[in-house]
Amino acid sequence: MISQNIINRIIEEVDIVDTVASYIALTPKGKNYWAVCPFHDDSNPSMSVSREKKFFKCFSCGTSGNVISFVQKYEHISYTDAAIKLAKKIGVDIDEFDTPEYRKNKQFYQAMDEAKNFYQFYLNNTAEGLKAKLYLEERNIN
Ligand code: ZN
């Protein structure tokens, strides 16, 4: 599962015009871009892509959606897989950071990280820390 928050970021931040243009030819006309629709047997460009509205729509077959649904439909993959693919473009690693487990434990991971930084600093930078460090070394604790 991908959080709605990430889905919204993808739709907001991934450029739909650039993404669609990486699959099919787009022609600028007015505010929008136009293409021969890949989802039906099209001869005249009937598909419009709007950077402003972050949306595409074919006025002939009615296929429409956002950048994620375009990739989903074009590549015949799931909505989630399309989202994962696009998330990489905005530097979001979904596998690592968007699992329910990570979200549930996020504050604990952060607390552990801060505690680790504190003790590391204390052991390396204070007289008491040095004593503790020598003791740990004696006990072969790295
Ligand atoms: Zn169409």
Side-chain angles (χ1 to χ4, degrees):
M1 267 305 287
I2 301 174
S3 72
Q4 193 55 44
N5 183 36
I6 298 284
I7 296 285
N8 292 343
R9 268 192 64 194
I10 293 167
I11 296 166
E12 191 60 35
E13 293 175 31
V14 177
D15 190 310
I16 190 168
V17 170
D18 289 350
T19 304
V20 173
S22 71
Y23 295 102
I24 56 176
L26 284 178
T27 311
K29 200 171 130 197
K31 272 176 128 182
N32 297 332
Y33 288 77
W34 292 84
V36 171
C37 176
F39 305 118
H40 80 276
D41 190 11
D42 200 8
S43 48
N44 288 311
S46 14
M47 196 176 91
S48 137
V49 183
S50 167
R51 177 173 275 143
E52 197 182 26
K53 293 179 185 154
K54 302 172 187 310
F55 200 75
F56 75 92
K57 181 177 172 67
C58 172
F59 289 91
S60 185
C61 71
T63 306
S64 65
N66 58 40
V67 66
I68 303 170
S69 26
F70 183 88
V71 173
Q72 172 196 12
K73 290 185 170 92
Y74 194 88
E75 295 208 18
H76 302 287
I77 57 180
S78 72
Y79 193 77
T80 302
D81 285 345
I84 288 171
K85 209 173 159 132
L86 293 170
K88 286 181 187 143
K89 290 192 185 202
I90 53 167
V92 175
D93 191 339
I94 284 176
D95 292 333
E96 196 178 344
F97 294 114
D98 206 43
T99 63
E101 208 233 335
Y102 182 86
R103 282 205 300 279
K104 201 177 81 192
N105 293 319
K106 194 174 173 195
Q107 54 184 333
F108 301 116
Y109 288 130
Q110 280 170 348
M112 286 286 286
D113 225 37
E114 294 207 358
K116 185 201 74 189
N117 290 341
F118 170 78
Y119 286 115
Q120 220 163 41
F121 179 84
Y122 203 69
L123 284 173
N124 290 318
N125 296 286
T126 65
E128 293 96 328
L130 185 67
K131 258 190 253 171
K133 197 175 168 183
L134 290 172
Y135 172 75
L136 288 172
E137 272 168 5
E138 241 172 69
R139 296 197 49 192
N140 288 323
I141 297 169
N142 65 23

